[in-house]
């Protein structure tokens, strides 16, 4: 038996082929797993549980089928779908988990994160993150009409895209001190996250102890997934 990790699927109307691949992945690979973790940005954008978009239906149905046969599916909020809520849990049978989350992965204490909170060099992003995660902003946003919410979400994505073009790759990557700080705080030597779309296994040292940071890739072109069992973890970039 194995535990599967994926992140940054970014389901949306711009790439219908990703939805197809995701449904196949759930039906063929995830169904054989003991547990499935989705570490953020399952959806390109999620404007509220009351506004499920047509392009999300196939994935929602496939997630429900998977949880119906008894496979636990845990979903973490990403920076695109941080508004996933209780109604999403109800229609999919998935369970939302906190970021960060500490788990016991076959005897190895492991920290799970989306990864955006580690990008502390990008001050502008961190400030925006704080705003979007505030109950006041969320209450106001969810109180707007679906049409208005779609417009605001589009605006945010356009702005983030144009801002990213002027930022270096380094600024948009995780900050090493933030990584080590989080791992030390939770007493782990293994961290799994997504967000940066740079799949890799990084070896590092924390207080002279060997540690690993495993980064999941995206699903635009990388089809990234991580399979872990009692013998270890394998990152695969072409599922
Ligand atoms: Mn992200």
């Amino acid at each position: 038996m194995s535990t599967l990790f994926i992140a940054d699927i970014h389901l949306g109307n711009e790439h219908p082929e990703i939805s197809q691949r995701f449904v196949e992945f759930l039906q063929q690979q995830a169904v054989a797993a003991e547990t499935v973790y989705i570490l953020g940005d399952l959806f390109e954008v999620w404007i509220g549980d009351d506004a499920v978009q047509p392009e999300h239906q196939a994935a929602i149905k496939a997630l429900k089928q998977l949880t119906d046969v008894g496979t636990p599916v845990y979903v973490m909020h990403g920076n695109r779908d941080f508004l996933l809520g209780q109604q999403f849990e109800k229609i999919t049978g998935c369970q939302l988990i906190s970021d960060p989350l500490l788990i016991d992965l076959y005897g190895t204490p492991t920290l799970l994160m989306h990864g955006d909170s580690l990008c502390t060099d990008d001050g502008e992003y961190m400030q925006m993150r704080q705003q979007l995660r505030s109950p006041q902003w969320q209450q106001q946003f969810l109180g707007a009409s679906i049409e208005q919410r779609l417009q605001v979400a589009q605006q945010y994505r356009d702005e983030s895209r144009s801002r990213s073009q002027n930022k270096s790759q380094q600024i948009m990557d995780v900050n090493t001190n933030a990584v080590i700080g989080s791992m030390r705080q939770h007493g782990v030597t293994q961290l799994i996250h997504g967000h940066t779309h740079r799949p890799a296994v990084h070896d590092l040292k924390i207080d002279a102890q060997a540690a690993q940071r495993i980064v999941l890739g995206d699903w635009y072109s990388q089809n990234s997934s991580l399979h872990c069992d009692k013998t270890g973890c394998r990152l695969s970039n072409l599922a």
Side-chain angles (χ1 to χ4, degrees), residues 8 10 40-41 78-80 114 116 125 194-197:
D8 300 289
H10 291 274
D41 290 351
N79 53 302
R80 306 299 195 106
H114 176 55
D116 60 322
Y125 173 72
H195 182 65
T196 59
H197 302 192

Side-chain angles (χ1 to χ4, degrees), residues 123-141:
E124 194 179 34
Y125 173 72
M126 294 306 278
Q127 215 173 353
M128 194 181 75
R129 182 180 198 273
Q130 204 176 4
Q131 188 200 348
L132 299 184
R133 301 295 180 107
S134 77
Q136 293 89 332
W137 185 92
Q138 296 193 358
Q139 203 180 1
Q140 198 185 10
F141 181 81

Side-chain angles (χ1 to χ4, degrees), residues 130-227:
Q130 204 176 4
Q131 188 200 348
L132 299 184
R133 301 295 180 107
S134 77
Q136 293 89 332
W137 185 92
Q138 296 193 358
Q139 203 180 1
Q140 198 185 10
F141 181 81
L142 291 170
S145 71
I146 290 175
E147 204 172 87
Q148 281 170 321
R149 280 184 258 167
L150 284 170
Q151 265 173 21
V152 172
Q154 187 61 48
Q155 209 176 315
Y156 270 98
R157 277 191 295 165
D158 291 345
E159 282 172 18
S160 132
R161 211 168 284 175
S162 65
R163 272 200 300 259
S164 305
Q165 282 168 355
N166 300 318
K167 284 178 191 166
S168 72
Q169 289 296 310
Q170 201 187 340
I171 281 182
M172 293 190 294
D173 202 353
V174 299
N175 172 289
T176 307
N177 290 332
V179 167
I180 291 176
S182 293
M183 294 178 78
R184 190 183 278 142
Q185 188 191 341
H186 293 274
V188 297
T189 53
Q190 184 158 266
L191 166 67
I192 303 172
H193 72 82
H195 182 65
T196 59
H197 302 192
R198 301 176 204 191
V201 179
H202 299 277
D203 289 315
L204 58 152
K205 281 250 159 68
I206 297 174
D207 304 325
Q209 247 193 318
Q212 271 193 332
R213 174 169 73 93
I214 304 174
V215 188
L216 296 160
D218 64 55
W219 277 52
Y220 291 122
S221 58
Q222 299 166 335
N223 285 357
S224 190
S225 61
L226 179 74
H227 300 239

